[in-house]
Amino acid sequence: MPEGRGHYACPITSLTLLVSLTRVTLDILQELDPPQPAHWRHQLLLLYKKGVYLSHGKMLFWVLGLLILCGFLWTRKGKLKIADITDKYIFITGCDSGFGNLAARTFDKKGFHVIAACLTESGSTALKAETSERLRTVLLDVTDPENVKRTAQWVKNQVGEKGLWGLINNAGVPGVLAPTDWLTLEDYREPIEVNLFGLISVTLNMLPLVKKAQGRVINVSSVGGRLAIVGGGYTPSKYAVEGFNDSLRRDMKAFGVHVSCIEPGLFKTNLADPVQATEKKLAIWKQLSPDIKQQYGEGYIEKSLDKLKGNKSYANTDLSPVVECMDHALTSVFPKTHYAAGKDAKIFWIPLSHMPAVLQDFLLLKQKAELANPKAV
């Protein structure tokens, strides 16, 4: 054997023997267990997929069950009510008519100690005649700061150490509802003074009493606080109410005070009297410049009224949905932050407020009368 080969002879021989033994073993195993047809992989894949589908089906079943349970618990949660309302005081503004008047009568029947603020003596007298001796009225102009302060002190003497469980800011006025270029700054002032500054003034003066009772503040806004449906000061005032409501809600959480906002749709109340609205429009029309009259046309107001006639069927005549929202906000253990009141608010106005601006403009502009000559100078 040549020099140098003897050192590797044994390992090479061993390796050759190992390869031979491996081949023999494989041949024996093949005889004992012949290879399966090629489609066995496909069958395994089908079994795997079936298992996955079964697993997904079970998962979807449990998710569906969980959603149903959550829905049940959420509904049940909303129905939990506070106890002993007969020892609780609530203060409501704007009780001469409309939502405030119905709310005062409803909550008086339920057993609350209702303090109803009316703007007029006649409104106060009529409300007293329809309610129990437990209900008390007070004359209040929410735009008069001194009147608001005196009223707050009087309410404090009435409620004593119990504090004020509920404050319902309901007072409001529509102001002039007309195209923006018809109006002056003074036309915007009244609805903003009443609907916004009046609401804030009452809230700030009553808030210590509400904090004492760890009670509720309920601000009546409007779908006009979500969508600019008409021109004038009403919509800006309600947009601002929404902002004040949200900041107040967050500030009051630490004190255990719940703050809710009610957004009614279109309701037939004295606030939305079409006769008064038309008279205000006509009075402004007479004072407009000839250029603006030429742009809109002499028959514009009549055409606007004709457009509105088609929408009268959508106006809610039953005021109770708004009061039901107030009731839930006052008596639920878990009151909502926002309430949409009225079918039109729930089905149309509130959903539309979340839509793109181009869709909002298209639908709302369809409700407006066509101008005679908008390019006239």
Side-chain angles (χ1 to χ4, degrees):
M1 180 179 294
E3 186 179 354
R5 291 191 62 183
H7 180 71
Y8 297 101
C10 184
I12 291 174
T13 304
S14 301
L15 182 59
T16 303
L17 181 61
L18 180 61
V19 170
S20 301
L21 288 173
T22 303
R23 286 177 178 174
V24 171
T25 304
L26 289 173
D27 290 340
I28 294 172
L29 289 174
Q30 189 173 1
E31 290 293 332
L32 294 174
D33 187 13
Q36 301 297 319
H39 63 75
W40 70 274
R41 295 187 184 86
H42 179 66
Q43 292 175 346
L44 286 177
L45 183 60
L46 289 177
L47 289 173
Y48 171 75
K49 287 183 176 180
K50 185 177 180 181
V52 170
Y53 291 151
L54 289 173
S55 176
H56 285 181
K58 289 181 180 178
M59 183 174 68
L60 289 174
F61 173 79
W62 285 111
V63 168
L64 181 61
L66 181 62
L67 289 174
I68 293 173
L69 178 61
C70 288
F72 171 78
L73 292 176
W74 185 264
T75 303
R76 179 64 181 168
K77 169 188 169 186
K79 292 182 179 179
L80 295 176
K81 299 290 184 178
I82 61 171
D84 301 326
I85 65 173
T86 55
D87 65 345
K88 289 179 168 51
Y89 288 83
I90 60 175
F91 182 81
I92 311 171
T93 65
C95 293
D96 297 77
S97 62
F99 303 138
N101 185 273
L102 179 59
R105 290 186 281 114
T106 300
F107 295 133
D108 175 59
K109 289 179 181 178
K110 282 181 172 288
F112 279 104
H113 292 275
V114 177
I115 303 175
C118 298
L119 181 62
T120 64
E121 187 69 49
S122 59
S124 173
T125 302
L127 183 58
K128 283 181 179 178
E130 298 178 350
T131 52
S132 71
E133 295 180 355
R134 187 174 52 251
L135 181 140
R136 299 183 183 183
T137 62
V138 60
L139 296 180
L140 176 64
D141 178 357
V142 298
T143 64
D144 183 345
E146 291 303 318
N147 190 186
V148 173
K149 287 181 181 178
R150 290 195 303 270
T151 301
Q153 183 59 50
W154 179 79
V155 171
K156 181 179 180 181
N157 295 335
Q158 298 296 314
V159 303
E161 291 301 314
K162 290 184 178 298
L164 190 62
W165 173 255
L167 167 61
I168 302 178
N169 285 309
N170 168 74
V173 296
V176 179
L177 305 177
T180 303
D181 52 347
W182 292 21
L183 306 175
T184 66
L185 184 61
E186 290 305 313
D187 294 319
Y188 281 84
R189 198 175 299 280
E190 182 195 17
I192 291 176
E193 287 286 348
V194 176
N195 302 347
L196 176 61
F197 291 127
L199 180 147
I200 293 175
S201 177
V202 171
T203 302
L204 295 180
N205 281 276
M206 297 291 180
L207 207 50
L209 301 177
V210 180
K211 289 165 72 176
K212 178 183 280 290
Q214 292 189 323
R216 313 288 170 84
V217 178
I218 302 164
N219 296 313
V220 180
S221 178
S222 166
V223 292
R226 302 284 290 268
L227 280 171
I229 301 170
V230 293
Y234 181 78
T235 292
S237 72
K238 292 301 184 179
Y239 265 75
V241 166
E242 297 272 349
F244 173 74
N245 179 87
D246 289 348
S247 61
L248 179 67
R249 184 182 69 250
R250 293 171 187 129
D251 290 340
M252 289 298 104
K253 276 189 179 293
F255 300 97
V257 173
H258 291 279
V259 179
S260 299
C261 185
I262 299 177
E263 297 162 337
L266 304 181
F267 283 82
K268 291 183 178 179
T269 65
N270 292 342
L271 189 70
D273 186 353
V275 176
Q276 292 183 8
T278 303
E279 289 176 351
K280 290 180 180 179
K281 267 189 178 181
L282 286 171
I284 291 179
W285 174 263
K286 293 176 182 179
Q287 300 175 6
L288 293 177
S289 68
D291 289 344
I292 293 181
K293 286 184 176 180
Q294 184 181 358
Q295 291 166 356
Y296 282 84
E298 289 293 336
Y300 178 78
I301 293 180
E302 288 75 13
K303 288 190 290 184
S304 297
L305 292 175
D306 288 339
K307 280 275 187 180
L308 289 174
K309 285 179 183 178
N311 297 331
K312 281 186 178 180
S313 58
Y314 296 104
N316 301 278
T317 56
D318 179 13
L319 307 185
S320 62
V322 176
V323 178
E324 288 170 3
C325 293
M326 294 178 182
D327 181 47
H328 188 273
L330 277 178
T331 62
S332 175
V333 175
F334 301 100
K336 299 178 183 179
T337 58
H338 289 81
Y339 293 84
K343 291 182 179 178
D344 59 321
K346 296 176 181 178
I347 296 173
F348 183 72
W349 299 114
I350 300 300
L352 183 60
S353 70
H354 297 287
M355 299 295 177
V358 63
L359 180 59
Q360 295 176 8
D361 293 350
F362 173 75
L363 293 176
L364 294 178
L365 286 173
K366 285 185 68 175
Q367 308 304 315
K368 293 184 178 293
E370 186 178 352
L371 276 64
N373 187 9
K375 295 184 180 181
V377 178

